[in-house]
Amino acid sequence: MRVAAILNRDSGTLRTMDLDAFCAEAMAVFAEAGHELQCHVVSGSDVLATIERFSVDPDVDAMIAAGGDGTISSAAAIAHRTGKVLGVLPAGTMNLFARALGVPPDIRRALHAVAKGTVGQVDLAAANNQPFVHQFGVGIHARLVRIRNGMVYRSRVGKMLASLRAIAAAAINPPRFEVEFEDGSGRQKRMLSGIAVSNNPLDDGPVPVAQRLDTGRLGVYFAGTVTTGELISLVVDVLVGRWRANPQVTELESESLVLHFPKRKREVHAVIDGELIELERDVELTILPLALSVIFPAKDV
């Protein structure tokens, strides 16, 4: 294959690497696997324009995006629209879609696994027609991201510490909101502190990711209204992989879900794959079965 690799130099892992040397290594690894790789290191502000350019280049068979979850999610949306194959290198803090694909967490090992990988199809999800690869969230998660974004950090570890500080800040006054939802079995109304909708149902790991990416189902998770202590308990349960047993959590699976927020306040946000967006009063969530062509990493590296 003829492959274009786009590296976001502002992503956590890549900030401290010799990217010229990494690109030379990447070209050699892909050449050994029988592919022709061109490597492009760009700033975060130029990533999407570069991905857009290669997504319509007839001389490129596949794109590889190296960055955090936000970069990968945007790259997936572009690849879905143009029909280009997408490969993923983990270079962010959580690398959730990469984990779900089975990409090794070490970026150099991931390079070899992707070079020897095979092309297949996985599901995408969408919120009001905006594709996402991992999760749409309202309430707790969106507040955590908003608080963390107001903090200063310069490394992957710094971002993780900022996330812990954001949890502590959010726990002082947990969000609480009313939602009406329709999943095909009737309309319901609830008071909640959080909603998470995932591209395929999540596993039970300490970092929950999709068990599979081809079930054609959304995972829908509700967190009931929580006190400060209950929110801290829920966060601990997520970190140790026992969140399903938390009494505040309920879940369902569906091919589609419509959310209505009758008392939505101005400047309230949702979060898609780690990036804040404005929360609309009505949100339609759908699964797009096998809509994205990806490189599945080889397992023998």
Side-chain angles (χ1 to χ4, degrees):
M1 285 193 301
R2 298 165 299 179
V3 184
I6 301 95
L7 281 58
N8 180 355
R9 66 158 57 96
D10 297 325
S11 291
T13 301
L14 301 181
R15 288 180 185 178
T16 57
M17 293 178 61
D18 181 340
L19 295 181
D20 289 336
F22 182 72
C23 278
E25 178 183 356
M27 288 187 285
V29 168
F30 271 75
E32 184 179 355
H35 306 298
E36 179 185 335
L37 179 78
Q38 50 180 300
C39 188
H40 302 270
V41 179
V42 298
S43 65
S45 60
D46 293 328
V47 165
L48 294 187
T50 305
I51 293 172
E52 287 275 12
R53 176 160 57 89
F54 286 112
S55 74
V56 294
D57 187 336
D59 293 325
V60 170
D61 302 310
M63 303 182 298
I64 292 177
D69 289 314
T71 296
I72 301 305
S73 187
S74 297
I78 294 169
H80 163 63
R81 189 180 73 244
T82 61
K84 199 72 77 177
V85 176
L86 179 68
V88 175
L89 292 178
T93 304
M94 301 304 292
N95 304 309
L96 297 166
F97 187 59
R99 290 172 188 258
L101 281 175
V103 178
D106 177 80
I107 194 167
R108 284 191 162 83
R109 186 172 167 224
L111 186 66
H112 288 265
V114 173
K116 296 178 181 178
T118 56
V119 174
Q121 283 70 44
V122 297
D123 300 341
L124 274 178
N128 285 352
N129 297 317
Q130 179 176 344
F132 62 92
V133 293
H134 177 60
Q135 186 169 280
F136 168 90
V138 181
I140 295 170
H141 189 188
R143 181 172 293 184
L144 293 179
V145 172
R146 181 179 59 80
I147 294 172
R148 188 192 65 201
N149 285 355
M151 300 177 179
V152 177
Y153 50 85
R154 294 181 175 82
S155 67
R156 183 173 184 269
V157 173
K159 187 174 182 179
M160 294 173 72
L161 292 174
S163 295
L164 293 176
R165 289 160 53 202
I167 290 169
I172 296 173
N173 182 27
R176 180 186 176 95
F177 58 89
E178 182 180 2
V179 63
E180 299 172 5
F181 68 92
E182 168 65 61
D183 68 342
S185 61
R187 195 172 187 87
Q188 300 185 49
K189 180 186 295 186
R190 294 193 190 182
M191 290 296 299
L192 299 171
S193 285
I195 302 172
V197 182
S198 61
N199 174 25
N200 284 261
L202 301 176
D203 64 18
D204 295 319
V207 181
V209 297
Q211 296 174 334
R212 294 175 53 181
L213 286 166
D214 60 356
T215 69
R217 310 277 289 177
L218 299 168
V220 183
Y221 307 93
F222 300 112
T225 53
V226 293
T227 63
T228 295
E230 288 169 338
L231 176 54
I232 293 173
S233 177
L234 175 57
V235 170
V236 171
D237 284 346
V238 170
L239 294 176
V240 300
R242 65 183 184 215
W243 55 273
R244 271 196 166 90
N246 188 288
Q248 298 299 329
V249 174
T250 57
E251 62 181 296
L252 59 89
E253 296 180 14
S254 180
E255 294 177 2
S256 63
L257 179 74
V258 177
L259 302 174
H260 174 66
F261 301 93
K263 299 178 181 178
R264 179 185 64 92
K265 298 178 181 178
R266 291 183 179 180
E267 299 182 357
V268 173
H269 292 90
V271 62
I272 286 184
D273 291 336
E275 303 294 328
L276 289 176
I277 63 168
E278 182 180 353
L279 176 62
E280 299 183 50
R281 188 174 297 276
D282 295 284
V283 182
E284 181 178 3
L285 294 129
T286 54
I287 197 78
L288 308 174
L290 305 180
L292 179 65
S293 295
V294 297
I295 299 175
F296 286 103
K299 298 185 182 300
D300 58 345
V301 297

